[in-house]
Amino acid sequence: MLNRITALFLLFSLVTANFSRYMVYAGFELNKNYIAANLCENRDKPWLHCNGKCYFMKKIKQAEENDKKQTAKDNLTRLEVSFFQEPYDLSFLQPANLNNVQASCPAYSYQYSSQYINSIFRPPKSVA
């Protein structure tokens, strides 16, 4: 239950941070009568038909400035973090020369011998 409440709270805070303009608009729409009667700069001039839009525009500009400041802060923190690594020197071992190495096994000696028997083998005679 606590995990679900925490997740919903984090989700709501994420949405409000990213959609602050829409939250200002929703707040304006919900409190339109109160803003027009008490917070509007032109409440003494009803012929302008402002109805609190001047207050709404101020809040929108303020939200945009806050977003710009936040993005500027984010960019500065991104620039501060830098990662440098020295290049890794890759070296390979030289192959050993096997010509000078004496084999521990004795050399192979070919001991097969053939005895050619002329009396058995008779090549065919040419007819010409």
Side-chain angles (χ1 to χ4, degrees), residues 38-50:
N38 298 326
L39 301 175
C40 182
E41 293 176 359
N42 297 325
R43 65 179 172 256
D44 298 331
K45 304 171 190 171
W47 61 89
L48 293 177
H49 301 289
C50 179

Side-chain angles (χ1 to χ4, degrees), residues 86-97:
E86 293 183 22
Y88 184 74
D89 187 22
L90 200 64
S91 60
F92 296 101
L93 298 174
Q94 295 294 328
N97 191 358

Side-chain angles (χ1 to χ4, degrees), residues 15-59:
V15 167
T16 57
N18 288 332
F19 300 110
S20 61
R21 241 189 250 164
Y22 300 115
M23 293 298 169
V24 170
Y25 181 71
F28 173 72
E29 287 296 323
L30 291 173
N31 299 321
K32 197 177 223 180
N33 294 331
Y34 175 76
I35 291 171
N38 298 326
L39 301 175
C40 182
E41 293 176 359
N42 297 325
R43 65 179 172 256
D44 298 331
K45 304 171 190 171
W47 61 89
L48 293 177
H49 301 289
C50 179
N51 297 330
K53 291 178 186 169
C54 55
Y55 180 78
F56 174 65
M57 295 309 264
K58 278 185 180 180
K59 287 296 184 179

Side-chain angles (χ1 to χ4, degrees), residues 33-113:
N33 294 331
Y34 175 76
I35 291 171
N38 298 326
L39 301 175
C40 182
E41 293 176 359
N42 297 325
R43 65 179 172 256
D44 298 331
K45 304 171 190 171
W47 61 89
L48 293 177
H49 301 289
C50 179
N51 297 330
K53 291 178 186 169
C54 55
Y55 180 78
F56 174 65
M57 295 309 264
K58 278 185 180 180
K59 287 296 184 179
I60 288 290
K61 286 180 184 177
Q62 185 180 14
E64 286 177 359
E65 288 175 6
N66 288 341
D67 286 344
K68 286 180 184 177
K69 286 179 186 176
Q70 187 65 31
T71 54
K73 268 187 191 176
D74 290 345
N75 288 339
L76 287 177
T77 56
R78 285 185 193 146
L79 292 175
E80 288 177 8
V81 178
S82 47
F83 178 72
F84 295 104
Q85 181 180 0
E86 293 183 22
Y88 184 74
D89 187 22
L90 200 64
S91 60
F92 296 101
L93 298 174
Q94 295 294 328
N97 191 358
L98 298 178
N99 292 339
N100 298 334
V101 177
Q102 295 292 331
S104 61
C105 300
Y108 178 73
S109 61
Y110 188 72
Q111 297 177 355
Y112 176 76
S113 63

